[in-house]
PDB file of all heavy atoms in Angstrom:
ATOM      1  N   SER A 349      44.801 154.291  59.838  1.00 81.00           N
ATOM      2  CA  SER A 349      43.969 153.259  60.457  1.00 81.00           C
ATOM      3  C   SER A 349      44.048 151.932  59.711  1.00 81.00           C
ATOM      4  O   SER A 349      44.292 150.885  60.311  1.00 81.00           O
ATOM      5  CB  SER A 349      42.511 153.723  60.504  1.00 81.00           C
ATOM      6  OG  SER A 349      42.445 155.061  60.882  1.00 81.00           O
ATOM      7  N   LEU A 350      43.855 152.004  58.402  1.00 81.00           N
ATOM      8  CA  LEU A 350      43.791 150.771  57.625  1.00 81.00           C
ATOM      9  C   LEU A 350      45.105 149.970  57.684  1.00 81.00           C
ATOM     10  O   LEU A 350      45.078 148.760  57.933  1.00 81.00           O
ATOM     11  CB  LEU A 350      43.379 151.088  56.185  1.00 81.00           C
ATOM     12  CG  LEU A 350      42.507 150.062  55.481  1.00 81.00           C
ATOM     13  CD1 LEU A 350      41.329 149.656  56.338  1.00 81.00           C
ATOM     14  CD2 LEU A 350      42.017 150.599  54.147  1.00 81.00           C
ATOM     15  N   PRO A 351      46.262 150.642  57.461  1.00 81.00           N
ATOM     16  CA  PRO A 351      47.511 149.871  57.577  1.00 81.00           C
ATOM     17  C   PRO A 351      47.700 149.249  58.957  1.00 81.00           C
ATOM     18  O   PRO A 351      48.252 148.161  59.075  1.00 81.00           O
ATOM     19  CB  PRO A 351      48.595 150.912  57.305  1.00 81.00           C
ATOM     20  CG  PRO A 351      47.923 151.956  56.510  1.00 81.00           C
ATOM     21  CD  PRO A 351      46.510 152.000  56.985  1.00 81.00           C
ATOM     22  N   LEU A 352      47.226 149.942  59.990  1.00 80.00           N
ATOM     23  CA  LEU A 352      47.383 149.378  61.329  1.00 80.00           C
ATOM     24  C   LEU A 352      46.496 148.154  61.521  1.00 80.00           C
ATOM     25  O   LEU A 352      46.760 147.308  62.354  1.00 80.00           O
ATOM     26  CB  LEU A 352      47.043 150.418  62.396  1.00 80.00           C
ATOM     27  CG  LEU A 352      48.121 151.466  62.627  1.00 80.00           C
ATOM     28  CD1 LEU A 352      47.615 152.548  63.555  1.00 80.00           C
ATOM     29  CD2 LEU A 352      49.378 150.843  63.182  1.00 80.00           C
ATOM     30  N   MET A 353      45.419 148.078  60.743  1.00 82.00           N
ATOM     31  CA  MET A 353      44.531 146.916  60.855  1.00 82.00           C
ATOM     32  C   MET A 353      45.055 145.737  60.056  1.00 82.00           C
ATOM     33  O   MET A 353      44.491 144.654  60.123  1.00 82.00           O
ATOM     34  CB  MET A 353      43.139 147.267  60.314  1.00 82.00           C
ATOM     35  CG  MET A 353      42.375 148.248  61.138  1.00 82.00           C
ATOM     36  SD  MET A 353      40.851 148.613  60.270  1.00 82.00           S
ATOM     37  CE  MET A 353      40.484 150.224  60.896  1.00 82.00           C
ATOM     38  N   ARG A 354      46.106 145.952  59.286  1.00 80.00           N
ATOM     39  CA  ARG A 354      46.546 144.926  58.349  1.00 80.00           C
ATOM     40  C   ARG A 354      46.746 143.555  59.008  1.00 80.00           C
ATOM     41  O   ARG A 354      46.242 142.559  58.490  1.00 80.00           O
ATOM     42  CB  ARG A 354      47.818 145.388  57.644  1.00 80.00           C
ATOM     43  CG  ARG A 354      47.917 144.851  56.238  1.00 80.00           C
ATOM     44  CD  ARG A 354      49.174 145.335  55.573  1.00 80.00           C
ATOM     45  NE  ARG A 354      49.114 146.743  55.214  1.00 80.00           N
ATOM     46  CZ  ARG A 354      50.201 147.528  55.101  1.00 80.00           C
ATOM     47  NH1 ARG A 354      51.388 147.036  55.366  1.00 80.00           N
ATOM     48  NH2 ARG A 354      50.080 148.772  54.757  1.00 80.00           N
ATOM     49  N   PRO A 355      47.448 143.494  60.130  1.00 78.00           N
ATOM     50  CA  PRO A 355      47.610 142.150  60.723  1.00 78.00           C
ATOM     51  C   PRO A 355      46.282 141.539  61.124  1.00 78.00           C
ATOM     52  O   PRO A 355      46.079 140.328  60.963  1.00 78.00           O
ATOM     53  CB  PRO A 355      48.500 142.393  61.937  1.00 78.00           C
ATOM     54  CG  PRO A 355      48.484 143.851  62.173  1.00 78.00           C
ATOM     55  CD  PRO A 355      48.145 144.518  60.892  1.00 78.00           C
ATOM     56  N   GLY A 356      45.370 142.374  61.601  1.00 81.00           N
ATOM     57  CA  GLY A 356      44.056 141.853  61.983  1.00 81.00           C
ATOM     58  C   GLY A 356      43.310 141.334  60.763  1.00 81.00           C
ATOM     59  O   GLY A 356      42.667 140.280  60.810  1.00 81.00           O
ATOM     60  N   LEU A 357      43.413 142.069  59.673  1.00 86.00           N
ATOM     61  CA  LEU A 357      42.738 141.647  58.445  1.00 86.00           C
ATOM     62  C   LEU A 357      43.305 140.318  57.960  1.00 86.00           C
ATOM     63  O   LEU A 357      42.563 139.405  57.588  1.00 86.00           O
ATOM     64  CB  LEU A 357      42.892 142.719  57.363  1.00 86.00           C
ATOM     65  CG  LEU A 357      42.143 144.021  57.637  1.00 86.00           C
ATOM     66  CD1 LEU A 357      42.501 145.072  56.601  1.00 86.00           C
ATOM     67  CD2 LEU A 357      40.646 143.775  57.640  1.00 86.00           C
ATOM     68  N   ALA A 358      44.634 140.228  57.980  1.00 84.00           N
ATOM     69  CA  ALA A 358      45.268 138.989  57.531  1.00 84.00           C
ATOM     70  C   ALA A 358      44.837 137.830  58.420  1.00 84.00           C
ATOM     71  O   ALA A 358      44.557 136.725  57.948  1.00 84.00           O
ATOM     72  CB  ALA A 358      46.782 139.137  57.553  1.00 84.00           C
ATOM     73  N   ASN A 359      44.784 138.113  59.703  1.00 82.00           N
ATOM     74  CA  ASN A 359      44.381 137.087  60.659  1.00 82.00           C
ATOM     75  C   ASN A 359      42.959 136.614  60.379  1.00 82.00           C
ATOM     76  O   ASN A 359      42.677 135.413  60.321  1.00 82.00           O
ATOM     77  CB  ASN A 359      44.466 137.688  62.059  1.00 82.00           C
ATOM     78  CG  ASN A 359      44.844 136.659  63.086  1.00 82.00           C
ATOM     79  OD1 ASN A 359      44.848 135.473  62.790  1.00 82.00           O
ATOM     80  ND2 ASN A 359      45.168 137.106  64.272  1.00 82.00           N
ATOM     81  N   ALA A 360      42.071 137.571  60.178  1.00 85.00           N
ATOM     82  CA  ALA A 360      40.679 137.234  59.911  1.00 85.00           C
ATOM     83  C   ALA A 360      40.571 136.424  58.626  1.00 85.00           C
ATOM     84  O   ALA A 360      39.826 135.442  58.552  1.00 85.00           O
ATOM     85  CB  ALA A 360      39.839 138.501  59.813  1.00 85.00           C
ATOM     86  N   PHE A 361      41.335 136.829  57.621  1.00 89.00           N
ATOM     87  CA  PHE A 361      41.292 136.103  56.351  1.00 89.00           C
ATOM     88  C   PHE A 361      41.731 134.659  56.554  1.00 89.00           C
ATOM     89  O   PHE A 361      41.061 133.726  56.104  1.00 89.00           O
ATOM     90  CB  PHE A 361      42.199 136.780  55.323  1.00 89.00           C
ATOM     91  CG  PHE A 361      42.362 135.964  54.070  1.00 89.00           C
ATOM     92  CD1 PHE A 361      41.371 135.955  53.105  1.00 89.00           C
ATOM     93  CD2 PHE A 361      43.489 135.171  53.881  1.00 89.00           C
ATOM     94  CE1 PHE A 361      41.500 135.184  51.960  1.00 89.00           C
ATOM     95  CE2 PHE A 361      43.621 134.390  52.745  1.00 89.00           C
ATOM     96  CZ  PHE A 361      42.629 134.399  51.791  1.00 89.00           C
ATOM     97  N   LEU A 362      42.859 134.489  57.262  1.00 85.00           N
ATOM     98  CA  LEU A 362      43.365 133.132  57.449  1.00 85.00           C
ATOM     99  C   LEU A 362      42.386 132.270  58.246  1.00 85.00           C
ATOM    100  O   LEU A 362      42.212 131.089  57.955  1.00 85.00           O
ATOM    101  CB  LEU A 362      44.716 133.182  58.164  1.00 85.00           C
ATOM    102  CG  LEU A 362      45.869 133.553  57.249  1.00 85.00           C
ATOM    103  CD1 LEU A 362      47.122 133.829  58.044  1.00 85.00           C
ATOM    104  CD2 LEU A 362      46.116 132.448  56.241  1.00 85.00           C
ATOM    105  N   LEU A 363      41.738 132.897  59.227  1.00 83.00           N
ATOM    106  CA  LEU A 363      40.762 132.134  60.015  1.00 83.00           C
ATOM    107  C   LEU A 363      39.614 131.673  59.131  1.00 83.00           C
ATOM    108  O   LEU A 363      39.204 130.511  59.164  1.00 83.00           O
ATOM    109  CB  LEU A 363      40.224 132.985  61.163  1.00 83.00           C
ATOM    110  CG  LEU A 363      41.169 133.147  62.338  1.00 83.00           C
ATOM    111  CD1 LEU A 363      40.527 134.014  63.400  1.00 83.00           C
ATOM    112  CD2 LEU A 363      41.520 131.791  62.899  1.00 83.00           C
ATOM    113  N   GLY A 364      39.091 132.590  58.329  1.00 88.00           N
ATOM    114  CA  GLY A 364      38.011 132.223  57.419  1.00 88.00           C
ATOM    115  C   GLY A 364      38.447 131.127  56.461  1.00 88.00           C
ATOM    116  O   GLY A 364      37.723 130.159  56.218  1.00 88.00           O
ATOM    117  N   PHE A 365      39.659 131.277  55.962  1.00 90.00           N
ATOM    118  CA  PHE A 365      40.243 130.320  55.026  1.00 90.00           C
ATOM    119  C   PHE A 365      40.300 128.929  55.645  1.00 90.00           C
ATOM    120  O   PHE A 365      39.816 127.946  55.080  1.00 90.00           O
ATOM    121  CB  PHE A 365      41.649 130.829  54.668  1.00 90.00           C
ATOM    122  CG  PHE A 365      42.384 129.978  53.676  1.00 90.00           C
ATOM    123  CD1 PHE A 365      42.194 130.151  52.321  1.00 90.00           C
ATOM    124  CD2 PHE A 365      43.303 129.041  54.113  1.00 90.00           C
ATOM    125  CE1 PHE A 365      42.898 129.384  51.409  1.00 90.00           C
ATOM    126  CE2 PHE A 365      43.998 128.260  53.211  1.00 90.00           C
ATOM    127  CZ  PHE A 365      43.793 128.438  51.858  1.00 90.00           C
ATOM    128  N   VAL A 366      40.878 128.875  56.851  1.00 86.00           N
ATOM    129  CA  VAL A 366      41.050 127.577  57.504  1.00 86.00           C
ATOM    130  C   VAL A 366      39.702 126.970  57.896  1.00 86.00           C
ATOM    131  O   VAL A 366      39.464 125.777  57.709  1.00 86.00           O
ATOM    132  CB  VAL A 366      41.959 127.724  58.735  1.00 86.00           C
ATOM    133  CG1 VAL A 366      41.951 126.454  59.561  1.00 86.00           C
ATOM    134  CG2 VAL A 366      43.365 128.067  58.301  1.00 86.00           C
ATOM    135  N   GLU A 367      38.805 127.811  58.405  1.00 86.00           N
ATOM    136  CA  GLU A 367      37.498 127.308  58.811  1.00 86.00           C
ATOM    137  C   GLU A 367      36.749 126.718  57.625  1.00 86.00           C
ATOM    138  O   GLU A 367      36.106 125.676  57.730  1.00 86.00           O
ATOM    139  CB  GLU A 367      36.667 128.434  59.431  1.00 86.00           C
ATOM    140  CG  GLU A 367      37.057 128.767  60.842  1.00 86.00           C
ATOM    141  CD  GLU A 367      36.556 127.736  61.835  1.00 86.00           C
ATOM    142  OE1 GLU A 367      35.386 127.348  61.737  1.00 86.00           O
ATOM    143  OE2 GLU A 367      37.335 127.315  62.693  1.00 86.00           O
ATOM    144  N   SER A 368      36.846 127.412  56.499  1.00 90.00           N
ATOM    145  CA  SER A 368      36.169 126.928  55.309  1.00 90.00           C
ATOM    146  C   SER A 368      36.722 125.578  54.871  1.00 90.00           C
ATOM    147  O   SER A 368      35.987 124.673  54.511  1.00 90.00           O
ATOM    148  CB  SER A 368      36.328 127.954  54.187  1.00 90.00           C
ATOM    149  OG  SER A 368      36.071 127.354  52.948  1.00 90.00           O
ATOM    150  N   MET A 369      38.056 125.463  54.928  1.00 89.00           N
ATOM    151  CA  MET A 369      38.685 124.194  54.553  1.00 89.00           C
ATOM    152  C   MET A 369      38.226 123.065  55.462  1.00 89.00           C
ATOM    153  O   MET A 369      38.009 121.943  55.024  1.00 89.00           O
ATOM    154  CB  MET A 369      40.197 124.325  54.721  1.00 89.00           C
ATOM    155  CG  MET A 369      40.826 125.189  53.698  1.00 89.00           C
ATOM    156  SD  MET A 369      42.106 124.233  52.936  1.00 89.00           S
ATOM    157  CE  MET A 369      42.299 125.064  51.416  1.00 89.00           C
ATOM    158  N   ALA A 370      38.123 123.385  56.746  1.00 86.00           N
ATOM    159  CA  ALA A 370      37.831 122.335  57.713  1.00 86.00           C
ATOM    160  C   ALA A 370      36.345 122.018  57.775  1.00 86.00           C
ATOM    161  O   ALA A 370      35.961 120.969  58.262  1.00 86.00           O
ATOM    162  CB  ALA A 370      38.334 122.750  59.091  1.00 86.00           C
ATOM    163  N   ASP A 371      35.532 122.928  57.286  1.00 88.00           N
ATOM    164  CA  ASP A 371      34.084 122.736  57.404  1.00 88.00           C
ATOM    165  C   ASP A 371      33.642 121.482  56.657  1.00 88.00           C
ATOM    166  O   ASP A 371      34.068 121.210  55.540  1.00 88.00           O
ATOM    167  CB  ASP A 371      33.361 123.967  56.834  1.00 88.00           C
ATOM    168  CG  ASP A 371      31.868 123.876  57.082  1.00 88.00           C
ATOM    169  OD1 ASP A 371      31.472 123.178  58.028  1.00 88.00           O
ATOM    170  OD2 ASP A 371      31.107 124.499  56.324  1.00 88.00           O
ATOM    171  N   PHE A 372      32.795 120.753  57.301  1.00 88.00           N
ATOM    172  CA  PHE A 372      32.334 119.503  56.724  1.00 88.00           C
ATOM    173  C   PHE A 372      30.813 119.484  56.583  1.00 88.00           C
ATOM    174  O   PHE A 372      30.268 119.058  55.564  1.00 88.00           O
ATOM    175  CB  PHE A 372      32.801 118.350  57.615  1.00 88.00           C
ATOM    176  CG  PHE A 372      32.219 117.022  57.254  1.00 88.00           C
ATOM    177  CD1 PHE A 372      32.650 116.362  56.123  1.00 88.00           C
ATOM    178  CD2 PHE A 372      31.251 116.446  58.048  1.00 88.00           C
ATOM    179  CE1 PHE A 372      32.117 115.135  55.789  1.00 88.00           C
ATOM    180  CE2 PHE A 372      30.712 115.219  57.712  1.00 88.00           C
ATOM    181  CZ  PHE A 372      31.147 114.562  56.573  1.00 88.00           C
ATOM    182  N   GLY A 373      30.140 120.007  57.604  1.00 86.00           N
ATOM    183  CA  GLY A 373      28.681 119.933  57.639  1.00 86.00           C
ATOM    184  C   GLY A 373      28.022 120.634  56.468  1.00 86.00           C
ATOM    185  O   GLY A 373      27.151 120.060  55.793  1.00 86.00           O
TER     186      GLY A 373
END
Side-chain angles (χ1 to χ4, degrees):
Chain A
S349 318
L350 215 49
L352 283 172
M353 291 176 206
R354 212 180 287 153
L357 292 173
N359 212 349
F361 171 79
L362 282 170
L363 284 180
F365 182 85
V366 170
E367 283 284 314
S368 161
M369 288 235 158
D371 187 24
F372 171 73

